[in-house]
């Protein structure tokens, strides 16, 4: 190929054409992931396993029994529900469960969660479109499909996990904070805290941004919800939290996070969890304070990475990193230099590759390295990010 031919090829590969091609590929990818995920959530006999566990727990709540006391051998086992073999959720999550698990059969619950997840994915798509829209419709399309093509969407749907719904609740909190509806924003975070390992660190966004009403509403929700569940099952919220911590230490080592690093040094799982919780809290407060005038999207991106790395998570929780992806996309569209494009490419690959590849041990290390690198890159570029003015709060 001569120099003239190379020039012709390069002219054909203009950025809009590249973005169009990538958007097309990502559209097909997200379609495949979502179809597979909804199939396992609704239809497959072995699908929605985690959803079934949450459904079982909530059924005992409706019967006035604390589910984590209904283990094998318990005299209170309902044969139509079965014993509880999982655990680790806080008392207020069962109050939120009245919304997410109405008193219906498990088969209907699968369809109900398909509806909730569909609504949540639409909310994510709208949010992503808003981020990409200032750069044109083509880039808005790319932003939407990049977010929806995160491969763990499929796993989250198939197992019936909370991640997609929690992302939607956090986006709702984001929108409400932008409109200064602080009390409602705090309630949305309270709902999102049904799985604190994903959403807990977002509370410090309210603290640093001085949204006192939002922080108060979130705490009020947690206290009232926990108290109501405590009265319903006739045990104290303190007992339920102690039980949650006791149960969780048996499975934290099965994930991949900072806990696994400490376990390799022989540190007890419970001690590792508490130690990393302290480190994560101190780190995020420090970062938020240093960059307190930055945007909400910047804060959400930082919280998503630290939240993913500090405590127990499996592959399905990678959906929480969508805020990191959106922040890097925003940076790249604003200034498409080599470093921005490189970070976006690596991050997109780490999140969109199928689970069979990313579930390999060496792949997990590479993934975590990319996420940490993207976090550090955001901190380096924080001035540039602040100038974008996206989601200031």
């Amino acid at each position: 190929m001569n120099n003239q031919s190379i020039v012709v090829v390069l002219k054909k590969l203009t950025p809009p054409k590249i973005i169009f091609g990538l958007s097309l590929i990502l559209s097909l990818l997200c379609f495949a992931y979502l179809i597979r995920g909804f199939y396992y959530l609704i239809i497959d006999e072995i699908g929605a396993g985690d959803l079934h566990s949450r459904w079982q727990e909530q059924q005992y709540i409706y019967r006035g029994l604390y589910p984590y006391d209904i283990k094998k051998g318990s005299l209170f086992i309902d044969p139509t529900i079965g014993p509880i073999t999982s655990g680790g959720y806080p008392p207020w999550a069962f109050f939120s469960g009245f919304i997410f698990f109405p008193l219906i059969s498990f088969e209907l619950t699968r369809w109900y969660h398909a509806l909730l997840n569909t609504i949540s994915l639409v909310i994510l798509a709208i949010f992503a479109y808003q981020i990409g829209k200032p750069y044109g419709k083509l880039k808005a399309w790319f932003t939407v499909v990049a977010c929806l093509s995160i491969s763990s969407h499929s796993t989250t749907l198939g197992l019936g996990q909370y991640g997609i719904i929690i992302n939607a609740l956090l986006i709702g909190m984001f929108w409400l904070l932008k409109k200064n509806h602080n009390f409602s924003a705090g309630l949305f975070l309270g709902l999102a805290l049904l799985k604190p390992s994903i959403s807990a660190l977002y509370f410090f966004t309210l603290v640093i941004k001085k949204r006192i009403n939002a922080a108060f509403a979130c705490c009020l929700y947690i206290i009232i919800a926990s108290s109501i569940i405590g009265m319903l099952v006739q045990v104290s919220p303190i007992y339920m939290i102690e039980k949650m911590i006791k149960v969780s230490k048996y499975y934290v080592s099965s994930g991949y996070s900072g806990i696994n690093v400490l376990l390799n040094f022989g540190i007890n799982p419970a001690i590792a969890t508490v130690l990393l919780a302290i480190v994560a809290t101190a780190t995020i407060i420090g970062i938020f304070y240093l960059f307190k005038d930055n945007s909400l999207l910047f804060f959400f991106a930082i919280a998503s990475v630290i939240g993913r790395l500090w405590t127990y998570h499996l592959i399905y929780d990678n959906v929480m990193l969508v805020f990191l992806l959106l922040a890097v996309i925003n940076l790249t569209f604003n200034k498409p230099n080599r470093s921005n494009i490189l970070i976006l490419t690596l991050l997109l690959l780490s999140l969109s590759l199928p689970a069979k590849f990313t579930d390999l041990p060496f792949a997990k290390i590479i993934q975590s390295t990319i996420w940490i690198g993207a976090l550090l890159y955001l901190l380096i570029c924080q001035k540039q990010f602040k100038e974008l003015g996206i989601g200031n709060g």
Side-chain angles (χ1 to χ4, degrees):
M1 183 179 288
N2 56 36
N3 291 339
Q4 190 172 5
S5 300
I6 294 174
V7 170
V8 171
V9 171
L10 290 174
K11 284 183 177 180
K12 288 181 179 180
L13 293 174
T14 55
K17 290 184 178 179
I18 293 174
I19 294 173
F20 177 82
L22 289 173
S23 300
L24 189 60
I25 293 170
L26 290 173
S27 296
L28 296 173
L29 199 59
C30 75
F31 181 77
Y33 286 151
L34 295 180
I35 288 294
R36 182 183 182 277
F38 277 111
Y39 170 78
Y40 279 98
L41 174 59
I42 301 170
I43 299 172
D44 192 85
E45 291 183 2
I46 63 170
D50 289 351
L51 184 69
H52 185 257
S53 294
R54 304 290 82 76
W55 177 84
Q56 285 180 299
E57 293 162 1
Q58 199 66 31
Q59 300 314 299
Y60 283 114
I61 293 292
Y62 281 121
R63 287 158 174 76
L65 297 170
Y66 180 54
Y68 299 144
D69 284 335
I70 316 299
K71 299 292 185 177
K72 290 181 179 178
S74 171
L75 298 176
F76 298 101
I77 294 175
D78 186 326
T80 64
I81 301 171
I84 299 299
T85 57
S86 58
Y89 282 81
W92 59 85
F94 300 123
F95 184 83
S96 303
F98 293 140
I99 299 172
F100 300 112
F101 292 92
L103 198 52
I104 56 178
S105 69
F106 177 61
E107 290 305 316
L108 284 177
T109 298
R110 295 177 77 167
W111 284 95
Y112 178 63
H113 269 254
L115 174 62
L116 292 179
N117 278 282
T118 299
I119 294 170
S120 298
L121 288 167
V122 170
I123 290 171
L124 172 58
I126 292 170
F127 185 63
Y129 185 83
Q130 290 175 340
I131 300 297
K133 186 180 178 182
Y135 306 103
K137 291 184 178 180
L138 178 58
K139 291 180 178 178
W141 174 31
F142 172 87
T143 307
V144 171
V145 294
C147 291
L148 293 179
S149 63
I150 293 175
S151 63
S152 51
H153 276 134
S154 180
T155 314
T156 299
L157 285 168
L159 290 172
Q161 274 283 333
Y162 284 136
I164 295 171
I165 296 171
I166 290 176
N167 279 345
L169 290 168
L170 292 172
I171 291 169
M173 169 188 162
F174 183 102
W175 285 334
L176 289 166
L177 287 175
K178 283 191 67 178
K179 294 182 178 181
N180 289 316
H181 297 320
N182 295 322
F183 195 86
S184 298
L187 293 179
F188 266 66
L189 180 57
L191 283 170
L193 282 169
L194 82 166
K195 190 169 183 180
S197 60
I198 292 179
S199 49
L201 295 182
Y202 291 84
F203 180 80
F204 298 106
T205 298
L206 307 179
V207 175
I208 298 298
K209 289 293 185 181
K210 298 181 180 179
R211 303 301 184 95
I212 305 303
N213 289 343
F216 172 76
C218 180
C219 293
L220 188 65
Y221 178 85
I222 295 301
I223 293 170
I224 293 175
S226 299
S227 299
I228 291 174
I229 293 298
M231 288 187 291
L232 184 62
V233 301
Q234 298 182 343
V235 296
S236 73
I238 300 299
Y239 172 84
M240 288 186 279
I241 291 173
E242 288 177 346
K243 194 83 170 182
M244 175 190 75
I245 295 171
K246 182 179 180 180
V247 171
S248 64
K249 70 180 182 180
Y250 294 111
Y251 60 78
V252 291
S253 61
S254 62
Y256 64 109
S257 66
I259 291 175
N260 302 91
V261 176
L262 295 185
L263 292 180
N264 290 333
F265 290 96
I267 298 176
N268 179 275
I271 294 174
T273 302
V274 173
L275 180 62
L276 283 173
I278 295 170
V279 171
T281 301
T283 301
I284 204 161
I285 290 175
I287 292 173
F288 282 5
Y289 182 77
L290 285 174
F291 307 118
K292 58 186 175 182
D293 295 326
N294 221 302
S295 70
L296 282 175
L297 184 57
F298 174 84
F299 277 27
F300 274 45
I302 299 300
S304 71
V305 183
I306 296 178
R308 176 60 184 82
L309 295 173
W310 81 268
T311 191
Y312 164 81
H313 289 289
L314 289 173
I315 189 170
Y316 43 70
D317 283 338
N318 291 350
V319 295
M320 66 192 289
L321 291 165
V322 70
F323 297 110
L324 173 65
L325 178 60
L326 282 166
V328 174
I329 288 174
N330 199 25
L331 274 178
T332 305
F333 284 164
N334 182 62
K335 187 175 290 186
N337 55 42
R338 289 182 180 179
S339 55
N340 283 352
I341 293 171
L342 175 61
I343 294 295
L344 175 57
T345 302
L346 291 174
L347 181 59
L348 192 56
L349 283 172
S350 76
L351 294 173
S352 61
L353 287 174
K356 64 173 62 178
F357 295 108
T358 58
D359 205 31
L360 298 171
F362 73 90
K364 293 176 183 178
I365 296 172
I366 294 172
Q367 271 188 318
S368 300
T369 303
I370 291 171
W371 300 336
I372 293 170
L375 168 65
L376 295 174
Y377 189 76
L378 275 187
L379 297 179
I380 293 170
C381 298
Q382 62 84 23
K383 287 185 179 179
Q384 176 189 342
F385 199 85
K386 183 178 177 181
E387 293 169 0
L388 294 175
I390 301 294
N392 286 327

